[in-house]
Amino acid sequence: MSRMPMFNSPLLLGFDQLERTLDRLAKNAEGYPPYNIERIGENGLRITLAVAGFTDDDLVIELVENQLMVRGKQADEGDRVYLHRGIAARQFQRAFMLADGIEVTGARLDNGLLSIDLVRPVLEPRIRTIRIDGGSAKVGAPDNTIDITARRSR
């Protein structure tokens, strides 16, 4: 049985990449490490991950296009013998998809909590009037129409 696309409305054109991104994020929805996302001020966001036992050298934060990736891997402690190990020390990878324009302004590790600050700049609305060309073109006149067939993916 084939799955029905989420964005199958004829009014939602070009959202197939967004649907693939949502599918990929749903597959990576592991619960470790736990995190919070909070609004900070008018245009700010903060992602806070609980990374007890990790140092800043054990953590990597990367932004690739619109995907914020947080990875953690602790160094192997071969000299320690645990009778009980309840604090998770496994490696992890947590991904967050950011909307266009969101910028990472900083990150800090404090008391086992990794906080990543983001800002969403205020965008001015873009209004553009599209010129409508008449059906009869003059011979020798420049063609100002857009060829949409050249933009179709093949």
Side-chain angles (χ1 to χ4, degrees), residues 51-62 70-75 92 107-115:
V51 291
F54 286 85
T55 67
D56 54 350
D57 292 331
D58 299 331
L59 300 167
V60 175
I61 303 171
E62 293 178 328
V70 182
R71 292 185 183 94
K73 183 176 182 181
Q74 290 180 322
F92 69 87
R108 73 177 178 283
L109 181 63
D110 187 31
N111 293 325
L113 297 175
L114 175 64
S115 297

mmCIF file of all heavy atoms in Angstrom, residues 51-62 70-75 92 107-115:
data_model
loop_
_atom_site.group_PDB
_atom_site.id
_atom_site.type_symbol
_atom_site.label_atom_id
_atom_site.label_comp_id
_atom_site.label_asym_id
_atom_site.label_seq_id
_atom_site.Cartn_x
_atom_site.Cartn_y
_atom_site.Cartn_z
ATOM 1 N N VAL A 51 22.610 17.289 28.646
ATOM 2 C CA VAL A 51 23.779 16.499 28.250
ATOM 3 C C VAL A 51 24.680 16.246 29.463
ATOM 4 O O VAL A 51 25.871 16.531 29.437
ATOM 5 C CB VAL A 51 24.549 17.180 27.092
ATOM 6 C CG1 VAL A 51 23.743 17.148 25.806
ATOM 7 C CG2 VAL A 51 24.920 18.610 27.439
ATOM 8 N N ALA A 52 24.095 15.693 30.517
ATOM 9 C CA ALA A 52 24.850 15.430 31.744
ATOM 10 C C ALA A 52 26.057 14.550 31.455
ATOM 11 O O ALA A 52 25.963 13.555 30.741
ATOM 12 C CB ALA A 52 23.950 14.745 32.771
ATOM 13 N N GLY A 53 27.203 14.938 32.001
ATOM 14 C CA GLY A 53 28.426 14.169 31.846
ATOM 15 C C GLY A 53 29.244 14.532 30.620
ATOM 16 O O GLY A 53 30.375 14.082 30.491
ATOM 17 N N PHE A 54 28.705 15.313 29.709
ATOM 18 C CA PHE A 54 29.443 15.714 28.510
ATOM 19 C C PHE A 54 30.159 17.038 28.776
ATOM 20 O O PHE A 54 29.645 17.914 29.461
ATOM 21 C CB PHE A 54 28.495 15.904 27.319
ATOM 22 C CG PHE A 54 27.986 14.628 26.730
ATOM 23 C CD1 PHE A 54 26.876 14.000 27.266
ATOM 24 C CD2 PHE A 54 28.615 14.045 25.636
ATOM 25 C CE1 PHE A 54 26.397 12.827 26.734
ATOM 26 C CE2 PHE A 54 28.136 12.866 25.090
ATOM 27 C CZ PHE A 54 27.024 12.255 25.639
ATOM 28 N N THR A 55 31.353 17.175 28.234
ATOM 29 C CA THR A 55 32.084 18.441 28.297
ATOM 30 C C THR A 55 31.964 19.119 26.936
ATOM 31 O O THR A 55 31.493 18.506 25.961
ATOM 32 C CB THR A 55 33.579 18.216 28.618
ATOM 33 O OG1 THR A 55 34.191 17.534 27.514
ATOM 34 C CG2 THR A 55 33.759 17.405 29.891
ATOM 35 N N ASP A 56 32.413 20.366 26.857
ATOM 36 C CA ASP A 56 32.340 21.060 25.572
ATOM 37 C C ASP A 56 33.217 20.395 24.515
ATOM 38 O O ASP A 56 32.955 20.508 23.323
ATOM 39 C CB ASP A 56 32.655 22.547 25.718
ATOM 40 C CG ASP A 56 33.975 22.820 26.399
ATOM 41 O OD1 ASP A 56 34.587 21.881 26.931
ATOM 42 O OD2 ASP A 56 34.403 23.979 26.396
ATOM 43 N N ASP A 57 34.259 19.678 24.929
ATOM 44 C CA ASP A 57 35.093 18.952 23.972
ATOM 45 C C ASP A 57 34.384 17.707 23.423
ATOM 46 O O ASP A 57 34.770 17.195 22.370
ATOM 47 C CB ASP A 57 36.414 18.523 24.624
ATOM 48 C CG ASP A 57 37.303 19.711 24.953
ATOM 49 O OD1 ASP A 57 37.198 20.742 24.239
ATOM 50 O OD2 ASP A 57 38.089 19.624 25.914
ATOM 51 N N ASP A 58 33.373 17.205 24.129
ATOM 52 C CA ASP A 58 32.625 16.016 23.700
ATOM 53 C C ASP A 58 31.482 16.363 22.747
ATOM 54 O O ASP A 58 30.844 15.457 22.206
ATOM 55 C CB ASP A 58 32.010 15.291 24.909
ATOM 56 C CG ASP A 58 33.048 14.796 25.891
ATOM 57 O OD1 ASP A 58 34.181 14.489 25.470
ATOM 58 O OD2 ASP A 58 32.718 14.715 27.095
ATOM 59 N N LEU A 59 31.199 17.645 22.564
ATOM 60 C CA LEU A 59 30.032 18.081 21.796
ATOM 61 C C LEU A 59 30.438 18.823 20.531
ATOM 62 O O LEU A 59 31.428 19.565 20.534
ATOM 63 C CB LEU A 59 29.153 19.002 22.656
ATOM 64 C CG LEU A 59 28.605 18.379 23.938
ATOM 65 C CD1 LEU A 59 28.034 19.454 24.844
ATOM 66 C CD2 LEU A 59 27.553 17.331 23.607
ATOM 67 N N VAL A 60 29.670 18.624 19.467
ATOM 68 C CA VAL A 60 29.885 19.322 18.206
ATOM 69 C C VAL A 60 28.536 19.858 17.746
ATOM 70 O O VAL A 60 27.544 19.121 17.734
ATOM 71 C CB VAL A 60 30.471 18.382 17.124
ATOM 72 C CG1 VAL A 60 30.566 19.081 15.776
ATOM 73 C CG2 VAL A 60 31.819 17.839 17.548
ATOM 74 N N ILE A 61 28.496 21.135 17.373
ATOM 75 C CA ILE A 61 27.290 21.757 16.827
ATOM 76 C C ILE A 61 27.635 22.226 15.425
ATOM 77 O O ILE A 61 28.577 22.989 15.233
ATOM 78 C CB ILE A 61 26.830 22.958 17.683
ATOM 79 C CG1 ILE A 61 26.597 22.524 19.128
ATOM 80 C CG2 ILE A 61 25.570 23.577 17.089
ATOM 81 C CD1 ILE A 61 26.364 23.688 20.075
ATOM 82 N N GLU A 62 26.855 21.743 14.439
ATOM 83 C CA GLU A 62 27.087 22.120 13.052
ATOM 84 C C GLU A 62 25.786 22.621 12.438
ATOM 85 O O GLU A 62 24.712 22.119 12.750
ATOM 86 C CB GLU A 62 27.572 20.927 12.224
ATOM 87 C CG GLU A 62 28.939 20.419 12.609
ATOM 88 C CD GLU A 62 29.330 19.205 11.792
ATOM 89 O OE1 GLU A 62 28.462 18.411 11.396
ATOM 90 O OE2 GLU A 62 30.544 19.069 11.551
ATOM 91 N N VAL A 70 23.423 18.528 16.356
ATOM 92 C CA VAL A 70 24.166 18.476 17.618
ATOM 93 C C VAL A 70 24.587 17.034 17.833
ATOM 94 O O VAL A 70 23.746 16.127 17.838
ATOM 95 C CB VAL A 70 23.298 18.961 18.804
ATOM 96 C CG1 VAL A 70 24.107 18.946 20.087
ATOM 97 C CG2 VAL A 70 22.742 20.350 18.539
ATOM 98 N N ARG A 71 25.894 16.826 17.998
ATOM 99 C CA ARG A 71 26.434 15.482 18.207
ATOM 100 C C ARG A 71 27.216 15.450 19.503
ATOM 101 O O ARG A 71 27.880 16.416 19.855
ATOM 102 C CB ARG A 71 27.365 15.087 17.065
ATOM 103 C CG ARG A 71 26.693 14.880 15.749
ATOM 104 C CD ARG A 71 27.707 14.375 14.700
ATOM 105 N NE ARG A 71 27.084 14.251 13.424
ATOM 106 C CZ ARG A 71 27.088 15.187 12.478
ATOM 107 N NH1 ARG A 71 27.710 16.318 12.689
ATOM 108 N NH2 ARG A 71 26.477 14.998 11.331
ATOM 109 N N GLY A 72 27.123 14.328 20.172
ATOM 110 C CA GLY A 72 27.884 14.142 21.400
ATOM 111 C C GLY A 72 28.521 12.774 21.442
ATOM 112 O O GLY A 72 27.880 11.770 21.116
ATOM 113 N N LYS A 73 29.791 12.739 21.810
ATOM 114 C CA LYS A 73 30.506 11.469 21.953
ATOM 115 C C LYS A 73 31.552 11.652 23.042
ATOM 116 O O LYS A 73 32.438 12.482 22.929
ATOM 117 C CB LYS A 73 31.170 11.074 20.642
ATOM 118 C CG LYS A 73 31.860 9.725 20.722
ATOM 119 C CD LYS A 73 32.431 9.307 19.384
ATOM 120 C CE LYS A 73 33.056 7.942 19.528
ATOM 121 N NZ LYS A 73 33.647 7.485 18.267
ATOM 122 N N GLN A 74 31.409 10.868 24.103
ATOM 123 C CA GLN A 74 32.354 10.967 25.215
ATOM 124 C C GLN A 74 33.556 10.076 24.962
ATOM 125 O O GLN A 74 33.446 9.017 24.331
ATOM 126 C CB GLN A 74 31.683 10.565 26.520
ATOM 127 C CG GLN A 74 30.653 11.565 26.984
ATOM 128 C CD GLN A 74 29.998 11.150 28.283
ATOM 129 O OE1 GLN A 74 29.737 9.984 28.506
ATOM 130 N NE2 GLN A 74 29.732 12.115 29.134
ATOM 131 N N ALA A 75 34.681 10.519 25.480
ATOM 132 C CA ALA A 75 35.894 9.716 25.392
ATOM 133 C C ALA A 75 35.733 8.471 26.253
ATOM 134 O O ALA A 75 35.085 8.508 27.305
ATOM 135 C CB ALA A 75 37.096 10.537 25.854
ATOM 136 N N PHE A 92 25.270 10.508 20.762
ATOM 137 C CA PHE A 92 23.964 10.897 20.250
ATOM 138 C C PHE A 92 24.135 11.841 19.078
ATOM 139 O O PHE A 92 25.196 12.417 18.856
ATOM 140 C CB PHE A 92 23.104 11.553 21.341
ATOM 141 C CG PHE A 92 23.604 12.905 21.772
ATOM 142 C CD1 PHE A 92 23.216 14.059 21.103
ATOM 143 C CD2 PHE A 92 24.462 13.030 22.854
ATOM 144 C CE1 PHE A 92 23.672 15.305 21.499
ATOM 145 C CE2 PHE A 92 24.919 14.268 23.257
ATOM 146 C CZ PHE A 92 24.526 15.411 22.579
ATOM 147 N N ALA A 107 26.159 29.450 21.646
ATOM 148 C CA ALA A 107 25.881 28.233 22.401
ATOM 149 C C ALA A 107 26.727 28.249 23.664
ATOM 150 O O ALA A 107 27.832 28.801 23.684
ATOM 151 C CB ALA A 107 26.201 26.998 21.566
ATOM 152 N N ARG A 108 26.177 27.641 24.734
ATOM 153 C CA ARG A 108 26.956 27.551 25.978
ATOM 154 C C ARG A 108 26.559 26.272 26.724
ATOM 155 O O ARG A 108 25.430 25.798 26.602
ATOM 156 C CB ARG A 108 26.795 28.780 26.834
ATOM 157 C CG ARG A 108 25.479 28.922 27.511
ATOM 158 C CD ARG A 108 25.443 30.165 28.421
ATOM 159 N NE ARG A 108 24.137 30.279 29.004
ATOM 160 C CZ ARG A 108 23.063 30.734 28.376
ATOM 161 N NH1 ARG A 108 23.160 31.122 27.138
ATOM 162 N NH2 ARG A 108 21.904 30.784 28.965
ATOM 163 N N LEU A 109 27.508 25.753 27.469
ATOM 164 C CA LEU A 109 27.300 24.561 28.276
ATOM 165 C C LEU A 109 27.423 24.967 29.735
ATOM 166 O O LEU A 109 28.447 25.493 30.153
ATOM 167 C CB LEU A 109 28.346 23.490 27.918
ATOM 168 C CG LEU A 109 28.251 22.174 28.644
ATOM 169 C CD1 LEU A 109 26.941 21.459 28.322
ATOM 170 C CD2 LEU A 109 29.433 21.277 28.268
ATOM 171 N N ASP A 110 26.344 24.728 30.500
ATOM 172 C CA ASP A 110 26.327 25.146 31.894
ATOM 173 C C ASP A 110 25.558 24.114 32.720
ATOM 174 O O ASP A 110 24.373 23.869 32.454
ATOM 175 C CB ASP A 110 25.669 26.531 32.006
ATOM 176 C CG ASP A 110 25.767 27.113 33.399
ATOM 177 O OD1 ASP A 110 26.754 26.828 34.111
ATOM 178 O OD2 ASP A 110 24.848 27.870 33.773
ATOM 179 N N ASN A 111 26.214 23.508 33.700
ATOM 180 C CA ASN A 111 25.590 22.540 34.604
ATOM 181 C C ASN A 111 24.882 21.400 33.867
ATOM 182 O O ASN A 111 23.775 21.004 34.219
ATOM 183 C CB ASN A 111 24.602 23.234 35.552
ATOM 184 C CG ASN A 111 25.285 24.160 36.520
ATOM 185 O OD1 ASN A 111 26.398 23.883 36.974
ATOM 186 N ND2 ASN A 111 24.650 25.272 36.829
ATOM 187 N N GLY A 112 25.505 20.874 32.823
ATOM 188 C CA GLY A 112 24.941 19.749 32.093
ATOM 189 C C GLY A 112 23.856 20.103 31.107
ATOM 190 O O GLY A 112 23.222 19.220 30.540
ATOM 191 N N LEU A 113 23.631 21.399 30.884
ATOM 192 C CA LEU A 113 22.633 21.838 29.917
ATOM 193 C C LEU A 113 23.326 22.608 28.797
ATOM 194 O O LEU A 113 24.030 23.587 29.045
ATOM 195 C CB LEU A 113 21.577 22.731 30.572
ATOM 196 C CG LEU A 113 20.718 22.077 31.654
ATOM 197 C CD1 LEU A 113 19.809 23.110 32.306
ATOM 198 C CD2 LEU A 113 19.912 20.923 31.068
ATOM 199 N N LEU A 114 23.133 22.144 27.569
ATOM 200 C CA LEU A 114 23.669 22.817 26.398
ATOM 201 C C LEU A 114 22.572 23.706 25.830
ATOM 202 O O LEU A 114 21.509 23.219 25.442
ATOM 203 C CB LEU A 114 24.113 21.795 25.339
ATOM 204 C CG LEU A 114 24.576 22.364 24.009
ATOM 205 C CD1 LEU A 114 25.842 23.198 24.180
ATOM 206 C CD2 LEU A 114 24.794 21.253 23.003
ATOM 207 N N SER A 115 22.812 25.014 25.814
ATOM 208 C CA SER A 115 21.833 25.970 25.295
ATOM 209 C C SER A 115 22.344 26.551 23.988
ATOM 210 O O SER A 115 23.491 26.999 23.907
ATOM 211 C CB SER A 115 21.599 27.106 26.296
ATOM 212 O OG SER A 115 21.053 26.596 27.484
#
